[in-house]
Coordinates of all heavy atoms in Angstrom, one line a residue:
M194 N -111.9 48.8 -32.8 CA -113.4 48.8 -33.0 C -113.8 47.3 -33.2 O -113.1 46.6 -33.9 CB -113.7 49.6 -34.2 CG -115.2 49.4 -34.7 SD -115.6 50.0 -36.3 CE -115.8 51.7 -35.9
K195 N -114.9 47.0 -32.6 CA -115.4 45.7 -32.8 C -116.6 45.7 -33.8 O -117.3 46.7 -33.8 CB -115.9 45.1 -31.5 CG -114.8 44.7 -30.5 CD -115.3 44.1 -29.3 CE -114.2 43.8 -28.3 NZ -114.7 43.4 -27.0
G196 N -116.8 44.6 -34.5 CA -117.9 44.5 -35.4 C -118.7 43.3 -35.2 O -118.2 42.3 -34.6
I197 N -119.9 43.3 -35.6 CA -120.8 42.1 -35.5 C -121.1 41.7 -37.0 O -121.6 42.5 -37.8 CB -122.1 42.4 -34.8 CG1 -121.9 43.0 -33.4 CG2 -123.0 41.1 -34.7 CD1 -121.2 42.1 -32.4
I198 N -120.8 40.5 -37.3 CA -121.1 39.9 -38.7 C -122.2 38.9 -38.5 O -122.0 38.0 -37.7 CB -119.8 39.3 -39.3 CG1 -118.7 40.4 -39.5 CG2 -120.2 38.6 -40.6 CD1 -117.4 39.8 -40.0
S199 N -123.2 39.0 -39.3 CA -124.3 38.0 -39.3 C -124.4 37.4 -40.8 O -124.2 38.2 -41.7 CB -125.6 38.5 -38.9 OG -126.0 39.6 -39.7
V200 N -124.5 36.1 -40.8 CA -124.6 35.4 -42.1 C -125.9 34.5 -42.0 O -126.0 33.7 -41.1 CB -123.4 34.5 -42.4 CG1 -123.5 33.8 -43.7 CG2 -122.1 35.3 -42.2
V201 N -126.8 34.7 -43.0 CA -128.0 33.9 -43.0 C -128.3 33.5 -44.5 O -128.1 34.2 -45.4 CB -129.2 34.7 -42.5 CG1 -130.5 34.0 -42.6 CG2 -129.0 35.3 -41.1
G202 N -128.7 32.2 -44.6 CA -129.1 31.7 -45.9 C -129.1 30.2 -46.0 O -128.9 29.5 -45.0
K203 N -129.4 29.7 -47.1 CA -129.5 28.3 -47.4 C -128.1 27.7 -47.2 O -127.1 28.2 -47.7 CB -130.0 28.0 -48.7 CG -130.4 26.5 -48.9 CD -131.5 26.4 -50.0 CE -131.8 25.0 -50.3 NZ -132.5 24.3 -49.2
D204 N -128.0 26.6 -46.4 CA -126.7 26.0 -46.1 C -126.0 25.4 -47.4 O -126.7 25.0 -48.3 CB -126.8 24.8 -45.1 CG -125.5 24.3 -44.6 OD1 -124.6 25.1 -44.5 OD2 -125.4 23.1 -44.4
R205 N -124.7 25.6 -47.4 CA -123.9 25.0 -48.5 C -122.5 24.9 -48.1 O -122.1 25.6 -47.1 CB -124.0 25.9 -49.8 CG -123.5 27.3 -49.6 CD -123.3 28.0 -50.9 NE -122.1 27.4 -51.5 CZ -121.5 27.9 -52.6 NH1 -122.0 29.0 -53.2 NH2 -120.4 27.4 -53.1
V206 N -121.7 24.2 -48.8 CA -120.3 24.0 -48.4 C -119.5 25.3 -48.7 O -119.7 26.0 -49.7 CB -119.6 22.9 -49.3 CG1 -118.1 22.8 -49.1 CG2 -120.3 21.6 -49.0
G207 N -118.6 25.7 -47.7 CA -117.7 26.8 -47.9 C -118.1 28.1 -47.4 O -117.3 29.1 -47.5
I208 N -119.2 28.3 -46.7 CA -119.6 29.6 -46.2 C -118.6 30.1 -45.2 O -118.1 31.2 -45.3 CB -121.0 29.5 -45.6 CG1 -122.1 29.2 -46.7 CG2 -121.4 30.9 -44.9 CD1 -123.5 28.9 -46.1
I209 N -118.3 29.3 -44.2 CA -117.4 29.7 -43.1 C -116.0 30.0 -43.7 O -115.4 31.0 -43.4 CB -117.4 28.7 -42.0 CG1 -118.7 28.6 -41.3 CG2 -116.3 29.0 -41.0 CD1 -118.9 27.4 -40.3
A210 N -115.6 29.1 -44.6 CA -114.3 29.2 -45.2 C -114.1 30.5 -45.9 O -113.1 31.2 -45.8 CB -114.0 28.0 -46.1
E211 N -115.1 30.9 -46.7 CA -115.0 32.1 -47.5 C -115.0 33.4 -46.6 O -114.2 34.3 -46.9 CB -116.2 32.2 -48.5 CG -116.2 31.2 -49.6 CD -115.2 31.6 -50.8 OE1 -114.9 32.8 -50.9 OE2 -114.9 30.7 -51.5
V212 N -115.9 33.4 -45.6 CA -115.9 34.5 -44.7 C -114.6 34.7 -44.0 O -114.0 35.8 -43.9 CB -117.1 34.4 -43.8 CG1 -117.1 35.6 -42.7 CG2 -118.5 34.5 -44.5
C213 N -114.2 33.6 -43.4 CA -112.9 33.6 -42.6 C -111.7 33.9 -43.5 O -110.8 34.6 -43.0 CB -112.7 32.3 -41.9 SG -113.9 32.0 -40.6
T214 N -111.7 33.5 -44.7 CA -110.6 33.8 -45.6 C -110.5 35.3 -45.9 O -109.4 35.9 -45.8 CB -110.7 33.1 -47.0 OG1 -110.6 31.7 -46.7 CG2 -109.6 33.5 -48.0
L215 N -111.7 36.0 -46.1 CA -111.7 37.4 -46.3 C -111.2 38.1 -45.1 O -110.4 39.1 -45.1 CB -113.1 37.9 -46.7 CG -113.3 39.4 -46.8 CD1 -112.4 40.0 -47.9 CD2 -114.7 39.8 -47.0
L216 N -111.7 37.7 -43.9 CA -111.3 38.4 -42.7 C -109.8 38.2 -42.4 O -109.2 39.2 -42.0 CB -112.1 37.8 -41.5 CG -113.6 38.0 -41.5 CD1 -114.3 37.3 -40.3 CD2 -114.0 39.5 -41.6
S217 N -109.3 37.1 -42.7 CA -107.8 36.8 -42.5 C -107.0 37.7 -43.5 O -106.0 38.4 -43.0 CB -107.5 35.4 -42.8 OG -106.1 35.1 -42.7
K218 N -107.5 37.9 -44.7 CA -106.7 38.7 -45.7 C -106.8 40.2 -45.2 O -105.9 41.0 -45.5 CB -107.4 38.6 -47.0 CG -107.0 37.3 -47.7 CD -107.7 37.2 -49.1 CE -107.4 35.9 -49.8 NZ -108.0 35.8 -51.1
K219 N -107.8 40.6 -44.5 CA -108.0 42.0 -44.0 C -107.4 42.2 -42.6 O -107.5 43.2 -42.1 CB -109.4 42.4 -44.0 CG -110.1 42.4 -45.3 CD -109.5 43.5 -46.2 CE -110.3 43.5 -47.5 NZ -109.6 44.4 -48.5
N220 N -106.8 41.1 -42.1 CA -106.2 41.1 -40.7 C -107.2 41.5 -39.7 O -107.0 42.3 -38.7 CB -105.0 42.1 -40.7 CG -104.1 41.8 -39.5 OD1 -103.9 40.7 -39.1 ND2 -103.5 42.9 -38.9
I221 N -108.4 40.9 -39.8 CA -109.5 41.1 -38.8 C -109.6 39.8 -38.0 O -109.7 38.7 -38.5 CB -110.8 41.4 -39.6 CG1 -110.7 42.7 -40.3 CG2 -112.0 41.4 -38.6 CD1 -111.9 42.9 -41.3
N222 N -109.5 40.0 -36.7 CA -109.5 38.9 -35.8 C -110.9 38.5 -35.3 O -111.7 39.3 -35.0 CB -108.6 39.2 -34.5 CG -108.4 38.0 -33.6 OD1 -108.2 36.9 -34.1 ND2 -108.4 38.3 -32.3
I223 N -111.2 37.2 -35.3 CA -112.4 36.7 -34.9 C -112.3 36.5 -33.3 O -111.5 35.7 -32.9 CB -112.8 35.4 -35.6 CG1 -112.9 35.6 -37.1 CG2 -114.1 34.8 -35.0 CD1 -113.0 34.3 -37.9
L224 N -113.2 37.2 -32.6 CA -113.2 37.0 -31.1 C -114.2 36.0 -30.6 O -113.9 35.3 -29.7 CB -113.5 38.4 -30.5 CG -112.6 39.6 -30.9 CD1 -113.2 40.9 -30.3 CD2 -111.2 39.3 -30.4
D225 N -115.3 35.9 -31.3 CA -116.3 34.9 -30.9 C -117.1 34.5 -32.2 O -117.3 35.3 -33.1 CB -117.2 35.5 -29.9 CG -118.0 34.4 -29.1 OD1 -117.8 33.2 -29.4 OD2 -118.8 34.8 -28.2
I226 N -117.5 33.3 -32.2 CA -118.3 32.8 -33.4 C -119.3 31.7 -32.9 O -119.0 30.9 -32.1 CB -117.3 32.2 -34.5 CG1 -118.1 31.8 -35.7 CG2 -116.5 31.1 -33.9 CD1 -117.2 31.4 -36.9
S227 N -120.5 31.8 -33.5 CA -121.5 30.7 -33.2 C -122.2 30.5 -34.6 O -122.4 31.5 -35.3 CB -122.5 31.1 -32.1 OG -123.3 32.2 -32.6
Q228 N -122.5 29.3 -34.8 CA -123.2 29.0 -36.1 C -124.2 27.8 -35.8 O -124.0 27.0 -34.9 CB -122.3 28.7 -37.2 CG -121.4 27.5 -37.0 CD -122.0 26.2 -37.7 OE1 -122.7 26.3 -38.7 NE2 -121.7 25.1 -37.1
S229 N -125.2 27.8 -36.6 CA -126.2 26.7 -36.5 C -126.8 26.5 -37.8 O -126.8 27.4 -38.7 CB -127.3 27.0 -35.4 OG -128.0 28.1 -35.8
I230 N -127.3 25.3 -38.0 CA -128.1 24.9 -39.2 C -129.4 24.4 -38.8 O -129.5 23.4 -38.0 CB -127.3 23.9 -40.1 CG1 -125.9 24.5 -40.5 CG2 -128.1 23.5 -41.3 CD1 -125.0 23.4 -41.0
T231 N -130.5 25.0 -39.2 CA -131.8 24.5 -38.9 C -132.6 24.4 -40.1 O -132.8 25.3 -40.9 CB -132.5 25.6 -37.9 OG1 -131.6 25.9 -36.8 CG2 -133.8 25.1 -37.5
G232 N -133.1 23.2 -40.3 CA -134.0 22.9 -41.5 C -133.3 23.3 -42.8 O -133.9 23.7 -43.8
G233 N -132.0 23.1 -42.9 CA -131.2 23.4 -44.1 C -130.8 24.8 -44.3 O -130.2 25.2 -45.3
Y234 N -131.1 25.7 -43.3 CA -130.7 27.1 -43.3 C -129.6 27.4 -42.3 O -129.6 26.9 -41.2 CB -131.9 28.0 -43.0 CG -132.9 28.0 -44.2 CD1 -134.0 27.1 -44.2 CD2 -132.7 28.8 -45.3 CE1 -134.8 27.0 -45.3 CE2 -133.6 28.7 -46.4 CZ -134.6 27.8 -46.4 OH -135.5 27.7 -47.4
F235 N -128.6 28.1 -42.8 CA -127.4 28.4 -42.1 C -127.5 29.7 -41.4 O -128.0 30.7 -42.0 CB -126.2 28.4 -43.1 CG -124.9 28.7 -42.5 CD1 -124.1 27.7 -41.9 CD2 -124.4 30.0 -42.5 CE1 -122.9 28.0 -41.3 CE2 -123.2 30.3 -41.9 CZ -122.4 29.3 -41.4
H236 N -127.1 29.8 -40.2 CA -127.0 31.1 -39.5 C -125.7 31.2 -38.7 O -125.3 30.2 -38.0 CB -128.1 31.3 -38.5 CG -128.0 32.5 -37.7 ND1 -127.5 32.5 -36.4 CD2 -128.3 33.8 -37.9 CE1 -127.5 33.8 -35.9 NE2 -127.9 34.6 -36.9
M237 N -124.9 32.3 -38.9 CA -123.7 32.4 -38.2 C -123.6 33.9 -37.7 O -124.0 34.8 -38.4 CB -122.5 32.2 -39.1 CG -121.1 32.4 -38.4 SD -119.7 31.8 -39.4 CE -119.8 32.8 -40.8
M238 N -123.1 34.0 -36.5 CA -122.8 35.4 -35.9 C -121.4 35.4 -35.4 O -121.0 34.4 -34.7 CB -123.8 35.7 -34.8 CG -123.6 37.0 -34.2 SD -124.9 37.5 -33.1 CE -125.9 38.5 -34.1
M239 N -120.7 36.4 -35.7 CA -119.3 36.6 -35.3 C -119.1 38.0 -34.6 O -119.7 38.9 -35.1 CB -118.4 36.5 -36.5 CG -118.5 35.3 -37.4 SD -117.5 35.5 -38.9 CE -116.2 34.5 -38.5
I240 N -118.3 38.0 -33.6 CA -117.8 39.2 -33.1 C -116.3 39.3 -33.5 O -115.6 38.4 -33.3 CB -117.9 39.3 -31.6 CG1 -119.4 39.1 -31.1 CG2 -117.3 40.6 -31.0 CD1 -119.6 39.0 -29.6
V241 N -116.0 40.4 -34.2 CA -114.6 40.6 -34.7 C -114.0 41.8 -34.2 O -114.7 42.8 -33.9 CB -114.7 40.6 -36.3 CG1 -115.2 39.2 -36.8 CG2 -115.5 41.7 -36.8
D242 N -112.7 41.8 -34.1 CA -111.8 42.9 -33.7 C -111.2 43.5 -35.0 O -110.5 42.8 -35.7 CB -110.8 42.5 -32.8 CG -109.9 43.6 -32.3 OD1 -110.1 44.8 -32.7 OD2 -109.0 43.3 -31.5
M243 N -111.6 44.7 -35.3 CA -111.1 45.4 -36.5 C -109.9 46.3 -36.3 O -109.6 47.0 -37.2 CB -112.3 46.1 -37.2 CG -113.4 45.1 -37.5 SD -114.8 45.9 -38.5 CE -113.9 46.2 -40.0
E244 N -109.4 46.3 -35.1 CA -108.3 47.2 -34.8 C -107.0 47.0 -35.7 O -106.3 47.9 -36.0 CB -107.9 47.1 -33.4 CG -108.9 47.6 -32.4 CD -109.2 49.1 -32.5 OE1 -108.2 49.9 -32.8 OE2 -110.3 49.5 -32.4
G245 N -106.8 45.7 -36.2 CA -105.6 45.4 -36.9 C -105.7 45.6 -38.4 O -104.7 45.4 -39.1
T246 N -106.9 46.1 -38.9 CA -107.0 46.2 -40.3 C -106.8 47.7 -40.8 O -107.1 48.6 -40.1 CB -108.4 45.8 -40.8 OG1 -108.4 45.7 -42.2 CG2 -109.5 46.6 -40.3
D247 N -106.3 47.8 -42.0 CA -106.1 49.1 -42.6 C -107.3 49.5 -43.5 O -107.5 50.6 -43.9 CB -104.9 49.2 -43.5 CG -103.6 49.1 -42.7 OD1 -103.6 49.5 -41.5 OD2 -102.6 48.6 -43.3
A248 N -108.2 48.5 -43.7 CA -109.4 48.7 -44.5 C -110.5 49.5 -43.8 O -110.6 49.4 -42.6 CB -110.0 47.3 -44.9
Q249 N -111.1 50.3 -44.6 CA -112.3 51.1 -44.1 C -113.4 50.2 -43.7 O -113.6 49.2 -44.4 CB -112.7 52.1 -45.1 CG -111.7 53.2 -45.4 CD -111.4 54.1 -44.3 OE1 -112.4 54.4 -43.5 NE2 -110.2 54.6 -44.1
F250 N -114.2 50.5 -42.7 CA -115.3 49.7 -42.3 C -116.3 49.4 -43.5 O -116.7 48.3 -43.7 CB -116.1 50.4 -41.1 CG -117.1 49.6 -40.5 CD1 -116.8 48.8 -39.4 CD2 -118.4 49.6 -40.9 CE1 -117.8 48.0 -38.8 CE2 -119.4 48.8 -40.3 CZ -119.1 48.0 -39.2
H251 N -116.7 50.5 -44.2 CA -117.6 50.3 -45.3 C -117.0 49.5 -46.4 O -117.8 48.8 -47.1 CB -118.1 51.7 -45.8 CG -117.0 52.4 -46.6 ND1 -116.1 53.2 -45.9 CD2 -116.7 52.5 -47.9 CE1 -115.2 53.7 -46.8 NE2 -115.6 53.4 -48.0
Q252 N -115.7 49.5 -46.6 CA -115.1 48.6 -47.6 C -115.2 47.1 -47.2 O -115.5 46.3 -48.1 CB -113.6 49.0 -47.7 CG -112.8 48.1 -48.7 CD -111.3 48.4 -48.7 OE1 -110.8 49.2 -47.9 NE2 -110.6 47.8 -49.6
V253 N -115.0 46.8 -46.0 CA -115.1 45.5 -45.5 C -116.5 45.0 -45.6 O -116.8 43.9 -46.1 CB -114.6 45.3 -44.0 CG1 -114.8 43.9 -43.5 CG2 -113.1 45.7 -43.9
A254 N -117.5 45.9 -45.2 CA -118.9 45.5 -45.3 C -119.3 45.2 -46.8 O -120.0 44.3 -47.1 CB -119.8 46.7 -44.8
H255 N -118.7 46.0 -47.7 CA -119.0 45.8 -49.2 C -118.4 44.5 -49.6 O -119.1 43.7 -50.4 CB -118.5 47.0 -50.0 CG -118.6 46.8 -51.4 ND1 -119.9 46.9 -52.0 CD2 -117.8 46.6 -52.4 CE1 -119.7 46.7 -53.3 NE2 -118.4 46.5 -53.6
E256 N -117.2 44.2 -49.2 CA -116.6 43.0 -49.7 C -117.3 41.7 -49.1 O -117.4 40.7 -49.8 CB -115.1 43.0 -49.3 CG -114.3 43.9 -50.2 CD -112.8 43.9 -49.9 OE1 -112.3 42.8 -49.8 OE2 -112.2 45.0 -49.9
L257 N -117.8 41.8 -47.8 CA -118.5 40.7 -47.3 C -119.9 40.6 -48.0 O -120.3 39.4 -48.2 CB -118.8 41.0 -45.8 CG -117.6 40.8 -44.8 CD1 -117.9 41.4 -43.5 CD2 -117.3 39.3 -44.7
D258 N -120.5 41.7 -48.4 CA -121.7 41.6 -49.2 C -121.5 40.9 -50.5 O -122.3 40.1 -50.9 CB -122.2 43.0 -49.4 CG -123.6 43.0 -50.0 OD1 -124.5 42.3 -49.5 OD2 -123.9 43.8 -51.0
Q259 N -120.3 41.2 -51.2 CA -120.0 40.5 -52.4 C -119.8 39.0 -52.2 O -120.2 38.2 -53.0 CB -118.7 41.1 -53.0 CG -119.0 42.5 -53.6 CD -117.7 43.1 -54.1 OE1 -116.6 43.0 -53.6 NE2 -117.8 43.8 -55.3
V260 N -119.1 38.6 -51.1 CA -119.0 37.2 -50.8 C -120.3 36.6 -50.6 O -120.6 35.5 -51.1 CB -118.1 37.0 -49.5 CG1 -118.1 35.6 -49.0 CG2 -116.7 37.4 -49.8
G261 N -121.2 37.3 -49.9 CA -122.6 36.8 -49.7 C -123.3 36.5 -51.0 O -124.0 35.5 -51.2
E262 N -123.2 37.5 -51.9 CA -123.8 37.3 -53.2 C -123.3 36.1 -54.0 O -124.0 35.3 -54.5 CB -123.6 38.5 -54.1 CG -124.5 39.7 -53.7 CD -124.2 40.9 -54.6 OE1 -123.8 40.8 -55.7 OE2 -124.5 42.1 -54.1
K263 N -122.0 35.9 -53.9 CA -121.3 34.7 -54.5 C -121.8 33.4 -53.9 O -122.1 32.4 -54.7 CB -119.8 34.8 -54.4 CG -119.0 33.6 -54.8 CD -117.6 33.9 -54.5 CE -116.8 32.5 -54.5 NZ -115.4 32.7 -54.1
L264 N -122.1 33.4 -52.6 CA -122.5 32.2 -51.9 C -124.0 32.0 -51.8 O -124.5 31.0 -51.4 CB -121.9 32.2 -50.5 CG -120.4 32.1 -50.4 CD1 -120.0 32.4 -48.9 CD2 -119.9 30.8 -50.9
G265 N -124.7 33.0 -52.2 CA -126.2 33.0 -52.1 C -126.7 33.1 -50.7 O -127.8 32.6 -50.3
V266 N -126.0 33.9 -49.9 CA -126.4 34.1 -48.5 C -126.3 35.6 -48.2 O -125.7 36.4 -49.0 CB -125.5 33.4 -47.4 CG1 -125.6 31.9 -47.6 CG2 -124.1 33.9 -47.5
Q267 N -126.9 36.1 -47.1 CA -126.9 37.5 -46.8 C -125.9 37.7 -45.7 O -125.9 37.0 -44.6 CB -128.3 37.9 -46.3 CG -128.3 39.4 -46.0 CD -129.7 39.8 -45.5 OE1 -130.3 39.2 -44.7 NE2 -130.2 41.0 -46.0
I268 N -124.9 38.6 -45.9 CA -123.9 38.8 -44.9 C -123.9 40.3 -44.6 O -123.9 41.2 -45.5 CB -122.5 38.5 -45.4 CG1 -122.4 37.0 -45.8 CG2 -121.4 38.8 -44.3 CD1 -121.1 36.6 -46.4
K269 N -124.0 40.6 -43.3 CA -124.1 42.0 -42.8 C -123.0 42.3 -41.8 O -122.8 41.4 -40.9 CB -125.5 42.3 -42.2 CG -126.6 42.3 -43.2 CD -126.5 43.3 -44.3 CE -127.5 43.1 -45.4 NZ -127.2 43.8 -46.6
L270 N -122.4 43.4 -41.9 CA -121.4 43.9 -40.9 C -122.0 45.1 -40.2 O -122.3 46.1 -40.9 CB -120.1 44.2 -41.5 CG -119.0 44.9 -40.7 CD1 -118.6 44.0 -39.5 CD2 -117.8 45.2 -41.5
Q271 N -122.0 45.1 -38.9 CA -122.4 46.3 -38.1 C -121.4 46.6 -37.1 O -120.7 45.7 -36.6 CB -123.8 46.0 -37.4 CG -124.9 45.8 -38.4 CD -126.2 45.5 -37.6 OE1 -126.2 44.5 -36.8 NE2 -127.2 46.3 -37.8
S272 N -121.3 47.9 -36.7 CA -120.4 48.2 -35.6 C -121.1 47.7 -34.3 O -122.3 47.6 -34.2 CB -120.1 49.7 -35.5 OG -121.2 50.4 -35.0
E273 N -120.2 47.3 -33.4 CA -120.8 46.7 -32.1 C -121.6 47.8 -31.4 O -122.7 47.4 -30.9 CB -119.6 46.3 -31.2 CG -120.1 45.7 -29.9 CD -119.0 45.4 -29.0 OE1 -118.0 46.2 -28.8 OE2 -119.0 44.3 -28.3
E274 N -121.3 49.0 -31.5 CA -122.0 50.1 -30.8 C -123.4 50.2 -31.4 O -124.4 50.3 -30.6 CB -121.2 51.4 -30.9 CG -120.0 51.4 -30.1 CD -118.9 52.2 -30.7 OE1 -119.1 52.8 -31.8 OE2 -117.8 52.3 -30.2
I275 N -123.5 50.2 -32.7 CA -124.8 50.3 -33.3 C -125.7 49.1 -33.0 O -126.9 49.2 -32.7 CB -124.7 50.6 -34.8 CG1 -124.1 52.0 -35.1 CG2 -126.0 50.4 -35.6 CD1 -123.7 52.3 -36.5
F276 N -125.0 47.9 -33.1 CA -125.7 46.7 -32.8 C -126.3 46.7 -31.4 O -127.5 46.4 -31.2 CB -124.8 45.5 -33.0 CG -125.5 44.2 -32.9 CD1 -126.1 43.6 -33.9 CD2 -125.5 43.5 -31.6 CE1 -126.7 42.4 -33.8 CE2 -126.1 42.3 -31.5 CZ -126.7 41.7 -32.6
Q277 N -125.5 47.1 -30.4 CA -126.0 47.2 -29.0 C -127.1 48.2 -28.9 O -128.1 48.0 -28.2 CB -124.9 47.5 -28.1 CG -123.9 46.3 -27.9 CD -122.8 46.6 -27.0 OE1 -122.5 47.7 -26.6 NE2 -122.1 45.5 -26.6
A278 N -127.0 49.3 -29.5 CA -128.0 50.4 -29.4 C -129.3 49.9 -30.0 O -130.4 50.2 -29.5 CB -127.5 51.7 -30.1
M279 N -129.3 49.2 -31.1 CA -130.5 48.7 -31.8 C -131.2 47.7 -30.9 O -132.4 47.5 -31.0 CB -130.2 48.0 -33.1 CG -129.8 48.9 -34.2 SD -129.2 48.1 -35.7 CE -130.2 46.6 -35.8
H280 N -130.5 47.0 -30.0 CA -131.1 45.9 -29.2 C -131.3 46.3 -27.8 O -131.6 45.5 -26.9 CB -130.2 44.6 -29.3 CG -130.3 44.1 -30.7 ND1 -129.4 44.5 -31.7 CD2 -131.1 43.2 -31.3 CE1 -129.6 43.8 -32.8 NE2 -130.7 43.1 -32.6
R281 N -131.2 47.6 -27.5 CA -131.4 48.1 -26.1 C -132.9 48.6 -26.1 O -133.3 49.4 -26.9 CB -130.5 49.2 -25.9 CG -129.8 49.2 -24.5 CD -128.9 50.4 -24.3 NE -127.6 50.0 -24.8 CZ -126.8 50.9 -25.4 NH1 -127.1 52.1 -25.6 NH2 -125.6 50.5 -25.8
I282 N -133.6 48.1 -25.1 CA -135.0 48.6 -24.9 C -135.3 48.8 -23.5 O -134.8 48.1 -22.7 CB -136.0 47.7 -25.6 CG1 -135.8 47.7 -27.1 CG2 -137.4 48.0 -25.3 CD1 -136.7 46.9 -27.9

């Protein structure tokens, strides 16, 4: 299963490191990543492969949410299928 992770918030040191550390601990592979900083605001989108993890999808989403709270950013995990369906018109 693939997931889409989005991170949005005020830029600060360590955002990418914290997110990637959690993914690594969960054995979740990053397939694609893009990030930008505009006017002091950070935005990152990742496509991840969750086939290698034993963690439940909702558990990973919750832990990413906790990382986001710690960093003062919003982190959301969606399944690729739901993400594509939401953006199909």
Side-chain angles (χ1 to χ4, degrees):
M194 168 194 280
K195 290 183 185 171
I197 307 294
I198 297 173
S199 60
V200 182
V201 178
K203 192 152 178 68
D204 188 34
R205 63 165 286 190
V206 172
I208 297 172
I209 296 172
E211 291 280 343
V212 173
C213 291
T214 297
L215 174 64
L216 296 178
S217 177
K218 287 179 181 177
K219 298 292 182 187
N220 200 35
I221 296 172
N222 189 37
I223 299 168
L224 301 174
D225 198 1
I226 182 172
S227 69
Q228 64 94 31
S229 63
I230 300 167
T231 306
Y234 290 94
F235 178 86
H236 174 262
M237 178 169 65
M238 181 172 259
M239 307 170 105
I240 301 172
V241 296
D242 181 0
M243 300 186 67
E244 292 295 324
T246 189
D247 291 334
Q249 296 288 328
F250 190 88
H251 70 277
Q252 177 188 5
V253 176
H255 177 70
E256 290 185 39
L257 285 168
D258 191 47
Q259 289 179 320
V260 169
E262 285 181 25
K263 172 183 164 188
L264 297 171
V266 297
Q267 184 179 44
I268 303 177
K269 296 296 176 196
L270 171 63
Q271 296 177 301
S272 75
E273 181 185 43
E274 294 147 356
I275 291 174
F276 185 84
Q277 287 179 346
M279 286 174 35
H280 293 89
R281 224 180 275 143
I282 294 185

